[in-house]
Amino acid sequence: MDGTTAPDFGLESTAGEEVTLSETLDSGPTVVLVNRGHWCSFCAEQLGTFSEVAYDLWFNDGVDVLPVVTSERGKLVEMRDRFDFDFQLLADPDGAVAEQYSGTEETSHGVTGIAGTYVIDTNGEVRYEQVAERVDDRTYGNWVRYFVRNDFEDPFGE
């Protein structure tokens, strides 16, 4: 998907509001994080790293972080509060948005998104894509912050 146009979507946030990708792109780049579910400890760890940099990304770079989680809203409210995340999570209980991005799989928890990280520029173009090959395979918030500030280039030249 890297270099292609990101599919637009609208999902309910843990604050009870509809959030769309196209609206966030009006104000700046957007990071879409597809996470497996409220029960996933690796997802919570990754979300924690983005929670730490989300305000800085928004305030200094106009970047919104949209965590799409394949769980129902009630479970995501519990997750947000338990881990004290500084952003709202987006409920994708049937995996429809996850399927458009990194894909889904059937697990013991039901339909689960395959973890993925996407950095999308204001034109809607995917500038970075990382789809997890293992359950613990993730891109973390600080790396994305450097990626955005390095004009969508690998900050470490790899």
Side-chain angles (χ1 to χ4, degrees):
M1 180 181 281
D2 194 9
T4 64
T5 301
D8 195 15
F9 62 85
L11 291 171
E12 185 179 16
S13 76
T14 46
E17 300 171 346
E18 180 83 5
V19 175
T20 66
L21 174 62
S22 54
E23 287 176 1
T24 64
L25 291 175
D26 285 344
S27 61
T30 299
V31 179
V32 174
L33 304 171
V34 176
N35 280 275
R36 298 171 60 79
H38 71 279
W39 46 267
C40 175
S41 62
F42 295 112
C43 300
E45 178 186 11
Q46 180 196 34
L47 291 173
T49 72
F50 276 91
S51 180
E52 291 173 8
V53 301
Y55 180 78
D56 179 48
L57 278 168
W58 172 80
F59 186 81
N60 291 303
D61 305 294
V63 174
D64 283 297
V65 177
L66 302 182
V68 174
V69 187
T70 52
S71 291
E72 63 184 37
R73 182 177 167 269
K75 294 287 186 185
L76 296 185
V77 169
E78 292 173 16
M79 181 185 197
R80 179 202 63 201
D81 294 347
R82 180 176 60 237
F83 293 105
D84 198 27
F85 293 143
D86 285 338
F87 47 52
Q88 302 300 318
L89 307 176
L90 303 180
D92 183 25
D94 63 1
V97 173
E99 185 59 42
Q100 293 180 64
Y101 282 81
S102 53
T104 59
E105 60 188 354
E106 189 67 37
T107 71
S108 61
H109 296 279
V111 174
T112 299
I114 297 169
T117 302
Y118 300 85
V119 178
I120 304 163
D121 68 17
T122 55
N123 296 319
E125 181 181 336
V126 176
R127 301 298 296 266
Y128 173 79
E129 173 187 35
Q130 187 262 335
V131 176
E133 294 181 16
R134 301 177 320 273
V135 295
D136 63 340
D137 186 17
R138 299 286 189 282
T139 299
Y140 293 101
N142 209 31
W143 188 91
V144 168
R145 179 170 49 182
Y146 288 121
F147 178 76
V148 168
R149 291 182 180 164
N150 198 39
D151 294 323
F152 304 110
E153 296 291 332
D154 188 329
F156 305 107
E158 296 176 9

